[in-house]
Amino acid sequence: MSILVMKFGGTSVATPDRIRRAAKRVGREVANGHDVIVIVSAMAGETNKLVGYVEETSPMFDAREYDAIVSSGEQVTAGLMALTLQEMDVPARSWHGWQVPLRTTSTHSAARIIEIPTGNIAAKFAEGMKVAVIAGFQGISPEGRITTLGRGGSDTTAVAFAAAFGAVRCDIYTDVDGVYTTDPRISDKARKLDRIAFEEMLELASLGAKVLQTRSVELAMRFKVPLRVLSSFGDMDENAGTLVCDEEDIVESNVVAGVAYSRDEAKMTLISVADRPGIAAAIFGPLSESGVNVDMIVQNISEEGRTDMTFSCPVNQVARAEQAMQAAKDAGEINFHDLVADTAVAKVSVVGIGMRSHAGVAAQMFKALRDEGINIKVITTSEIKISVLIDRKYMELAVQALHDTFELEKPSAA
């Protein structure tokens, strides 16, 4: 019997009525001959409410108890989904992460999956169960405590189950009907993609696209799990949504697949740093230890043994970065004249596997920004992406201009 994994996000299970709607989709797949593993998130808003309770009760909370509390939202949804399916005469039962058991590391609130044994669920399928409803986002540590996988962890749970059970596909149901060439709220020309390569989706997710969690795409690419992103609220169409798949499974594609953006970026520059072997390690080691997520890095030309070092990070980590750099300076590990933070920048990126074999994408991108009078502060590139930092006030204009420049509203051409 083929196994299909279906994941429903918080908005898809926000009310009992929406759970019934999702259950009908599951029932249809059972009627089509699949055994189904359903991964559910907490009902919309529930996790935030539970986090609020924790912070109100204990500002310096025990991370183990935090996980025990916030994981309960998914457990409630799993039980309600199983009951709804049973009312539809579909043999189903719910499973908490520890019952599977989904084994994880001991890092509470940011655990990583170690193993998903298939024996318990496979045995129930053999006995006639048609649907296993799994509480997403959670597992069990080697110490026997409930762990959570971090925000968006239900996506990762779904892909991990699909890999473990050799599922034919993993369907991610959300409040959008697929992956678009850019955010439709910014460009009314944004087009839904029928297919997108794993690598492109991974870049878009890491660069600000909110459709899929980055770790889930990494897992899907590693284990070659076809992912389909589709809406819980649309028609039950077998060809709906966007399929995230191997590059080889895409016959034709545009050079650029999409334009992504990240609004809340900051540009930080260490002015007049000693240009010597090990200076990069002396700067970025303390930043890493302080939990600063550094992205773009640029080092200027050295003059008289001094240089400037620029990097970007999320705007809410600026204070942490400033503290780390000052502490390193006070300890004599680095010496710099000044640290300047620009907290009014945004990152805009173009992504596409076609960039590997097509020259001129950077020139087109930079010309489009020039024509709109947008100054580029920092540039970074990889094999399939180009990212720039610009003034935040020009972000939406830049996204629209790049979308038009690469004619992303048009269907794929050879």
Side-chain angles (χ1 to χ4, degrees):
M1 184 67 67
S2 64
I3 290 179
L4 178 69
V5 174
M6 305 173 72
K7 181 263 178 180
F8 293 95
T11 56
S12 304
V13 292
T15 64
D17 184 60
R18 289 189 178 181
I19 291 174
R20 281 190 290 272
R21 187 183 184 116
K24 288 179 182 178
R25 293 181 181 275
V26 177
R28 190 185 75 156
E29 297 297 350
V30 171
N32 287 340
H34 295 296
D35 284 343
V36 181
I37 297 174
V38 175
I39 311 296
V40 292
S41 297
M43 300 166 86
E46 189 65 21
T47 300
N48 287 340
K49 184 174 74 174
L50 293 170
V51 170
Y53 288 158
V54 171
E55 293 174 344
E56 180 182 346
T57 302
S58 176
M60 302 297 290
F61 54 78
D62 181 336
R64 294 165 297 184
E65 301 304 335
Y66 172 93
D67 278 2
I69 294 163
V70 300
S71 64
S72 65
E74 281 74 14
Q75 294 168 8
V76 170
T77 310
L80 290 173
M81 176 65 80
L83 286 173
T84 303
L85 288 164
Q86 289 170 12
E87 288 295 308
M88 295 166 52
D89 294 324
V90 177
R93 65 154 284 188
S94 65
W95 302 72
H96 297 178
W98 62 268
Q99 292 174 305
V100 174
L102 190 156
R103 300 193 174 107
T104 74
T105 60
S106 302
T107 309
H108 287 274
S109 79
R112 301 188 74 84
I113 297 171
I114 297 172
E115 181 188 15
I116 300 178
T118 59
N120 288 343
I121 291 175
K124 290 298 181 183
F125 278 138
E127 292 172 10
M129 178 186 73
K130 301 305 295 181
V131 181
V133 185
I134 313 294
F137 171 66
Q138 63 190 257
I140 185 169
S141 71
E143 295 77 25
R145 297 298 300 259
I146 292 175
T147 55
T148 62
L149 309 180
R151 284 304 180 97
S154 291
D155 283 356
T156 302
T157 305
V159 176
F161 269 90
F165 282 84
V168 294
R169 194 178 64 245
C170 178
D171 287 347
I172 306 290
Y173 286 87
T174 180
D175 54 358
V176 297
D177 60 350
V179 180
Y180 279 74
T181 49
T182 196
D183 188 339
R185 294 170 298 180
I186 289 182
S187 173
D188 57 8
K189 296 181 181 178
R191 176 177 56 86
K192 185 175 71 69
L193 298 165
D194 293 328
R195 294 187 175 217
I196 187 170
F198 287 127
E199 288 180 83
E200 292 172 325
M201 189 67 245
L202 184 59
E203 289 283 11
L204 289 171
S206 66
L207 292 167
K210 307 295 185 185
V211 180
L212 287 171
Q213 192 217 33
T214 305
R215 280 169 62 191
S216 70
V217 184
E218 288 175 347
L219 268 180
M221 184 165 65
R222 178 181 173 188
F223 292 102
K224 298 190 179 300
V225 175
L227 278 176
R228 189 170 64 151
V229 181
L230 63 170
S231 172
S232 298
F233 311 111
D235 296 332
M236 295 189 194
D237 183 353
E238 291 183 1
N239 298 314
T242 299
L243 185 68
V244 187
C245 56
D246 259 338
E247 180 181 344
E248 290 76 15
D249 296 328
I250 301 175
V251 178
E252 297 178 342
S253 63
N254 286 330
V255 176
V256 172
V259 181
Y261 66 88
S262 178
R263 187 185 305 273
D264 298 320
E265 297 288 320
K267 178 172 77 79
M268 307 194 71
T269 302
L270 287 165
I271 297 175
S272 189
V273 182
D275 188 10
R276 58 173 174 78
I279 188 62
I283 293 170
F284 295 107
L287 289 170
S288 174
E289 292 167 6
S290 297
V292 177
N293 184 19
V294 172
D295 181 20
M296 309 167 86
I297 302 172
V298 175
Q299 183 175 355
N300 290 344
I301 295 173
S302 176
E303 292 184 6
E304 299 179 356
R306 312 292 291 183
T307 187
D308 297 340
M309 187 79 77
T310 296
F311 61 90
S312 68
C313 68
V315 72
N316 62 2
Q317 296 179 7
V318 167
R320 199 182 305 171
E322 290 173 335
Q323 291 173 358
M325 292 296 89
Q326 188 59 50
K329 184 177 183 179
D330 293 343
E333 297 171 6
I334 57 175
N335 181 270
F336 55 89
H337 180 266
D338 198 7
L339 175 57
V340 178
D342 182 352
T343 58
V345 298
K347 178 171 61 180
V348 178
S349 310
V350 297
V351 174
I353 53 176
M355 293 166 60
R356 291 190 185 122
S357 55
H358 288 77
V361 175
Q364 282 183 272
M365 180 179 185
F366 302 154
K367 180 179 182 298
L369 296 176
R370 181 203 66 189
D371 290 347
E372 297 294 343
I374 300 172
N375 185 46
I376 299 172
K377 297 174 178 286
V378 179
I379 303 167
T380 60
T381 66
S382 75
E383 193 178 27
I384 65 168
K385 75 113 190 271
I386 303 169
S387 295
V388 297
L389 277 188
I390 61 173
D391 285 329
R392 189 175 299 143
K393 63 183 179 181
Y394 295 123
M395 186 196 75
E396 293 192 8
L397 176 61
V399 170
Q400 292 165 354
L402 293 172
H403 197 276
D404 289 346
T405 294
F406 294 106
E407 300 182 325
L408 300 185
E409 72 279 4
K410 296 181 179 179
S412 300

